[in-house]
Amino acid sequence: MSEVVDPATGRPWGELIRIEADNPLSFPGFSLKILNFAAGTGEEVVATSTGITQFYQYRDQRFLLPLNPFIWEINRDAKGRPLRLPDGSWDYVAGPDDGRVLLWPDWKNLAPAYREMVQWRGDLYGLPISSSANGLLFRRDAFTSAGLDPDHPPATWDEFLDACLRISALSTPEFPVFGIQLNASVIESYLLGLGGNLARSETTPDGSTRWLSSVASSEMIRTVEFIRRLTLTRWIIDDQGRPFVVHLPDAPADLVHPTLGEGRWEGAPYAAGSRFTFPGRTYAANEIRTGMAFNQLGGQATEGNVKWYNLFTEQKPRIGMSLNTPERFGDFLAAFDPDLLDFAPAPAGPAGRGVFAQGDIAGLNYRLADDPATARLAWNVLSYLASSDYKTQIVHSYAREGEGIAETIAPRLLVANGYDTIAERVSPSLREYWAGLDDAVRPVIPAKNFQAITQQYLNPLFREASLNPAFDYRNALAAAQEQIQARLDFAAGDYSRVKHRGLVVVAMVVIIAGVLIATLYAIRSMLHKAAASTGVTTLGPNPRYQVMAWALLSPALLLICVFSYYPIFKALPVAFQDYSVTGTTTWVGTANFVEIFTNPAAWTALLKTAYYMTLSIGFGFFAPVVLAILMNEIRAFRYFLRTVYYLPAVIAGIVMLLLWQRFFEPTPNGLVNQIWFGCIHIWNTIAPASLEIARQPVDWLRHPVWGIPAVVFVGVWGGMGPGMLIYLAALKSIPEDLYEAAELDGAGWGARFYHITLSYLRPLLVINLIGAVIGAFQASGNILALAGNFPATYTFAVHLWFETFGLGNFGVGTALSWVMAAILMGFTLWQLRILRNVEFRRSQADD
Amino acid sequence: MAIISIIDRTNPKGRLAMLAIYAVLFLGAISMLYPFLLMLRMTTSDPIDQTSVSILPRYLWEENISARKYLLKQYRLVPARQLPAIYGARDWSNLNQVEDFYDRHLAPFDALPAEKLATRIADYEAFKAQADLLQLYPLATYRPDQSFEDFFIVNWLARREGVSPKTYQFYEPIHADFARRDWVPPFDKSWTQWQDWLAQLPPSQRLAASAHAQWQAYLAEKYRGQLPALNAAHATAYSDFNHGPWFSPEPPAQASPGLLADWTDFVTSRYPLVWQSLRPSAAETASADWRDYLAQSVAITTADEWTRRTGLPADQGYTNLPLAMPPDQAAARWWSAFVATRIPASDRVITSPEADFTAFLRTRHPDLASLNAAWGTDFATWDSIRFPQAEADYAVIKTHANGILWDISLGNYRTVFKALVLEGRAFSNTAIILALSILTSLTVNPIAAYALSRFRVKGTQKILIFLLATLALPGEVAMVPGFLLVRDLHLIDTYWALVLPTAANAFSIFLLKGFFDSLPQELYEAALIDGAGEFTLFTRITIPLSMPILAVTLLGTVTHAYNIFMPAVMYLGDTNMWPIATSIYRIGQTSSAGVGMAALVVSSIFPLLVFVFCQRIIMRGIILPSMK
């Protein structure tokens, strides 16, 4: 890289061009890149670090400069700017390479899948700087123990199923063993092996491309059935110690065993106490196993990976196989006995092998369009990173390191650079992987927001299918396909296909107009009332001081106008636009609102929000009040207890959320799960045997019923302290003699509480209650930090965040906040009306 | 003392109610405290006890845990596979997996007399002091005067060159990997630095690699851990993998064909070539082949070409096949490839660290019996001697037990302290932000409230509603325009971007106005009669009487400014300007769990102190609404 120098200044590129893969901090899903690029402070060479989906997001957000003029020769105008033809395509100079003149020879060395992925509607947005694809990573010793040959890993998916079953048969009750780490990679590879895909493209009559979701296709149905076979197959260990399948979830199983005879079920196959009997041998319920995979579908993404890693690398492996990249293989080799691991190509289906391309793609900042000199220098850097020369450098540096990483480079590259001895040590399976890679790699589907949308619908579906034997996956897939298609069409800017569009627009206009009118009316009446009452004193406004008064007011007013109102007003019209931070915004009328109203996700989010608010207000609001009342009664230890309850407020909010996220871990080691196990233990010892609960770790934050309570609990835990202080101060302001007088009059403590305490607290409670309602509706920060945007905790505020920052639909996000404001407007006005009618006094709290 | 009156408390029902109240409160207090105590305990965690949720720092009294925590740090720079080899263990591959480590591997040394232990260690250290650097790994044993990190190569380099360690923050040292046959030292500047550093390490900080462990691993894999299969192939009767067969640098004499075949295969396919050299006779005969090989595979046909591409003179590698690996990376790779495929094992001279150790011991002890007497062992042959590294570990753990416990407890705090205070500016940045926040918000808000209160501005209610309405609208939507606004005002990368947007707080203006309204008007009128101006009225009357509410406002501002997180990430591109909350988050993301927790605890001290000392102010200053 040192040879890349700026010809104009002679300085090395490192001083002029920046490449940063990411912001120093990483947040779940949210990239602050949007802000950097909006402000024009983004780096010149834009490189991704989390893969191809991130590149597509950059492309969709228009952060990237088309690179066509650098790769092929294009006719230019008098000022040297490259020309486009009237239909939008580039004005190429005719030449020998596909009718064009190739300026950058390394273009031919890129794999076809990558060449396809970097282009979009004729514009080329990036170059791959690293590439990778999944293969089958497996433990040789697991294979050996299971009676399989580690030199012949499964070549087809049927062999794969057999291998999974046999590896799982190594389980003991204390140490379950799983054949495969089941995640999206396995699903994708199986689907591609059948010749299917998640979507296909079709050219519309007007020449553009429409992506059609194919999640309800027959290949996908078979894929879901494959998942269910991995997780729901019931099997036993027969008298020779070999596994025998006694039930398949979606197909009849052959229940005739060669030596034990014909078996039958006593009870439903998935019911709790069912047994399976052969003539002469009965298998009790706890002897029948279910599934052969470590199910990570739809669960937590990164933490799950850490756990599977631990299981995979134990001395006696607890997971036998994983679909992963050679880089991961290298990571394991660095800390592991190299002879226990091996790497093979992914199993093949009837249509061959298929794996989606992975890697990182880099492009140039769109702002370089105005700065050709820097653009040229940045191009030199980028093209070097994507060149074969650079790949050679990488080969050398990896080979020097040893430690197993050298095996993760294709043997032909090793040999080409003189590392024959390393190449010799590459196992035959790994060789086969590299040899067949180019044929197996498929491009990632490039439609806008495709991965985010598809995952949002498919992840919960896969999880449910893998856990629930009675799940109607065919209908679920069909419903998902319809919704995915609607979202994809919206993302593509095709608004014409919404059903009953006219009706929806009319309904919307009526509702919004109604709300607006009501709001304006309420505000106007409040302001009139405000103008009518001029305060308690008799003195009117003093003209002499008006100038000084306004002078004193102006800093506060100015700050609030500038920093609070101005951004809101600038943001309002975005609800009618397809907003792009890089400036190419288009008006789309009511399309954003139609999308909100026709998206079932928004409606379910409203329901979730109602659930969240009920719990949050019910517990979170009243807990500090109750606590304060209790605190008011005691004398001893009061300072100690107050400090203890205030402790959570002392640590910064976001780190408290991370702390609790760790406590809610879905593994048996998580704090909450350990407490849960303790409770189960107590229950099981006192309850009769039929009501015993199994000791299963619960994924609290993702649980459909307990997810929201868990999040609410964290909020309550953190918010108790400050709330308690305020109510305590209020309580201490109530004069003691009132209580004594009431007692003398014969009032019991219930009556005293109701008539004295509550009536003193009432204004404070009402104000705070309204504030709590508004806050609970808007709260998204703690939910996101704790649980991400998973369906269990998908409230309206999370939906807003996801549309804005997850999908990049700023227009929809703004429209959603209009809707939110409309819903909350009533509460806000009510709060303001009360605030006008109260006066504030100092508390009389004296201790 | 309110609802349940004093009289009620004396009767049994009242007493019961009080008891119940205390019980509930203490139960709740436990649930508040437990996560904090856990947090405190986790400031000492590392992979050994990271997953435990106990609040008890068990390492303080359980040697099984403290020994493993210490050794995890000590062997941080050593390849993970070496550790079970040192301890002769077959059933665990890292320290997480063996819970009774101390009882199994170190407690037996309690029975060994002290002088025999000392002899073993002394011999070992004397060997390491003169050992070939190519047989060594570095350790990081506990030294009371230094922390572990002070010891690493990066700090040594920085000290040697008189620069700050930050210059080397991305430095990647070379690690020798003697597990690979083809590993070749890079022979460049970083390699030289590495060797220099190894050379100046005191013997106690060195670890000799074990060829023996590789031999055993090879056999274990070949015979799939089945001892009977091994015994059958070698015609031996070992009872345990740990008791043989031993690796000898010479082809084993009087060996069964099976053993000889395995030995040859091991040497040719696995044994690191850095530890091998050639017999001079074999090298001479192969020199012609060597030159042919160079010509064919790398196109070197003349001595000048050789010198040009390797920087070595012709007689050091071209005219004759070098006896040992030539000191240039490219040449070393070619030599390795040639020797691996063209020179049979019988023509090679194998060195192994254990063999060198044995040779060294023979100079200090005349025969095996005296060695056994001095060491308190019962070795049957010279071949079977292992490195007494476990003994050395035991001695360190015993001698420095207290120091190790202190180090485990406070090590993470030391790291955090260095990162936040000495090398970072997080605290001073936060102080600046606090000062600016207090300055602006205690200026802007009170004067606005005073204007509204005292001067009875026309349209006061409308203004108040205008100010308060901003609280109703959700924030995320305005994030992008807000950011663009700050950029257009050129406030990016300044602290004002954090301070100004939230300086004017509608709610606190509202509260302040309410408070000012409650001050008696007579004071003002009296002062006016005495000839005071407005400014004097404000500073001499209003401010002093409003101390409680101002204190509360101050407290709110301080808390808010201390916890600033998202705005700092968005607006401050230079991480040197980051305040505490963001620095803590970054430390938590880039370091281990223990360091992250320690950072969290350190950052919580200030707010906790503020609360403890200002409880009364808070309580007194709280403003409560009541209906007019």
Side-chain angles (χ1 to χ4, degrees), chain B residues 1 16 39 82 109 141 156 164 186 232 324 385 447 466 495 505 508 516 542 544 597 600 616 619:
Chain B
M1 278 80 64
L16 199 64
M39 213 168 77
Q82 288 278 325
F109 292 124
T141 61
W156 173 77
S164 138
I385 298 177
I447 61 176
F466 177 75
Y495 289 120
N505 184 343
S508 70
F516 293 160
T542 316
M597 286 295 171
L600 188 53
R616 288 202 157 198
M619 295 274 288

Side-chain angles (χ1 to χ4, degrees), chain A residues 180-336:
Chain A
I180 175 74
Q181 175 216 7
L182 179 59
N183 58 6
S185 304
V186 178
I187 301 176
E188 286 166 1
S189 202
Y190 185 81
L191 179 64
L192 290 173
L194 287 178
N197 208 328
L198 294 166
R200 62 180 203 285
S201 67
E202 123 191 317
T203 320
T204 60
D206 62 356
S208 60
T209 312
R210 183 173 181 225
W211 285 93
L212 293 172
S213 169
S214 50
V215 300
S217 62
S218 59
E219 289 92 1
M220 181 58 101
I221 292 179
R222 282 168 62 185
T223 306
V224 171
E225 287 168 359
F226 173 72
I227 297 172
R228 287 161 67 80
R229 269 188 80 162
L230 282 175
T231 58
L232 292 173
T233 301
R234 302 216 73 188
W235 48 280
I236 45 123
I237 305 276
D238 65 13
D239 47 351
Q240 280 125 21
R242 284 198 288 264
F244 179 73
V245 171
V246 295
H247 184 78
L248 290 174
D250 304 303
D254 180 8
L255 298 180
V256 179
H257 188 275
T259 50
L260 290 172
E262 178 162 0
R264 32 173 219 95
W265 279 95
E266 279 177 23
Y270 289 104
S274 300
R275 304 189 302 177
F276 191 80
T277 50
F278 287 106
R281 170 91 161 96
T282 302
Y283 283 89
N286 60 357
E287 290 175 304
I288 310 178
R289 326 275 180 95
T290 310
M292 40 182 136
F294 184 68
N295 189 347
Q296 283 190 267
L297 293 176
Q300 288 174 308
T302 49
E303 280 167 70
N305 275 340
V306 173
K307 306 306 175 276
W308 86 260
Y309 168 99
N310 285 338
L311 293 177
F312 187 70
T313 54
E314 278 192 29
Q315 186 79 0
K316 282 195 154 60
R318 306 260 296 274
I319 295 182
M321 299 185 274
S322 162
L323 241 69
N324 227 309
T325 59
E327 283 76 23
R328 209 68 162 103
F329 177 45
D331 289 343
F332 285 129
L333 284 182
F336 213 71

Side-chain angles (χ1 to χ4, degrees), chain A residues 472-641:
Chain A
D472 182 0
Y473 49 89
R474 285 167 200 267
N475 279 336
L477 282 172
Q481 176 168 301
E482 201 181 311
Q483 286 304 316
I484 293 177
Q485 193 58 53
R487 305 283 92 70
L488 285 179
D489 285 333
F490 177 78
D494 180 0
Y495 307 125
S496 57
R497 297 179 199 265
V498 179
K499 285 192 225 169
H500 314 301
R501 189 162 188 269
L503 205 62
V504 171
V505 174
V506 167
M508 251 174 43
V509 167
V510 166
I511 295 176
I512 290 185
V515 168
L516 265 176
I517 293 174
T519 310
L520 285 172
Y521 183 73
I523 293 182
R524 202 147 55 105
S525 74
M526 213 166 56
L527 289 178
H528 275 170
K529 275 212 208 129
S533 72
T534 53
V536 262
T537 63
T538 52
L539 294 175
N542 192 330
R544 195 153 68 100
Y545 291 119
Q546 291 304 301
V547 172
M548 189 188 301
W550 278 100
L552 289 178
L553 261 183
S554 51
L557 278 181
L558 195 69
L559 281 175
I560 287 192
C561 279
V562 167
F563 287 106
S564 298
Y565 278 103
Y566 177 76
I568 291 175
F569 279 114
K570 283 285 279 198
L572 287 182
V574 176
F576 296 104
Q577 297 173 338
D578 176 12
Y579 181 74
S580 158
V581 288
T582 60
T584 52
T585 304
T586 53
W587 289 87
V588 295
T590 52
N592 290 331
F593 285 95
V594 172
E595 165 72 3
I596 296 176
F597 276 79
T598 56
N599 186 351
W603 295 104
T604 36
L606 269 181
L607 290 176
K608 287 272 179 199
T609 306
Y611 183 33
Y612 177 78
M613 278 172 57
T614 317
L615 289 179
S616 176
I617 305 294
F619 292 105
F621 179 72
F622 290 108
V625 182
V626 170
L627 185 63
I629 293 176
L630 290 181
M631 281 287 203
N632 197 23
E633 300 295 318
I634 65 175
R635 252 210 102 79
F637 296 110
R638 62 180 185 276
Y639 283 117
F640 168 72
L641 282 175

Side-chain angles (χ1 to χ4, degrees), chain A residues 357-442:
Chain A
Q358 296 181 37
D360 286 313
I361 300 185
L364 297 183
N365 192 325
Y366 74 103
R367 289 200 177 245
L368 292 176
D370 302 324
D371 184 355
T374 314
R376 170 57 54 179
L377 180 58
W379 163 254
N380 289 344
V381 172
L382 174 63
S383 55
Y384 182 75
L385 286 173
S387 67
S388 12
D389 278 348
Y390 186 64
K391 292 190 182 14
T392 312
Q393 298 274 18
I394 294 181
V395 171
H396 285 313
S397 75
Y398 274 16
R400 272 170 44 164
E401 278 191 54
E403 292 264 357
I405 298 179
E407 266 96 328
T408 64
I409 302 179
R412 67 176 166 82
L413 280 178
L414 287 172
V415 169
N417 287 292
Y419 295 105
D420 304 61
T421 48
I422 298 182
E424 272 168 34
R425 281 213 65 196
V426 172
S427 79
S429 308
L430 190 50
R431 261 180 219 285
E432 213 186 312
Y433 165 82
W434 286 111
L437 193 58
D438 279 343
D439 289 329
V441 167
R442 308 293 158 77

Side-chain angles (χ1 to χ4, degrees), chain A residues 762-783:
Chain A
R762 195 187 312 268
L764 186 63
L765 282 175
V766 173
I767 292 177
N768 281 345
L769 183 63
I770 302 176
V773 166
I774 297 178
F777 201 94
Q778 291 184 359
S780 67
N782 53 338
I783 301 178

Side-chain angles (χ1 to χ4, degrees), chain A residues 444-456:
Chain A
V444 177
I445 296 187
K448 181 176 175 187
N449 284 335
F450 184 80
Q451 282 73 28
I453 293 172
T454 313
Q455 275 172 15
Q456 193 185 19

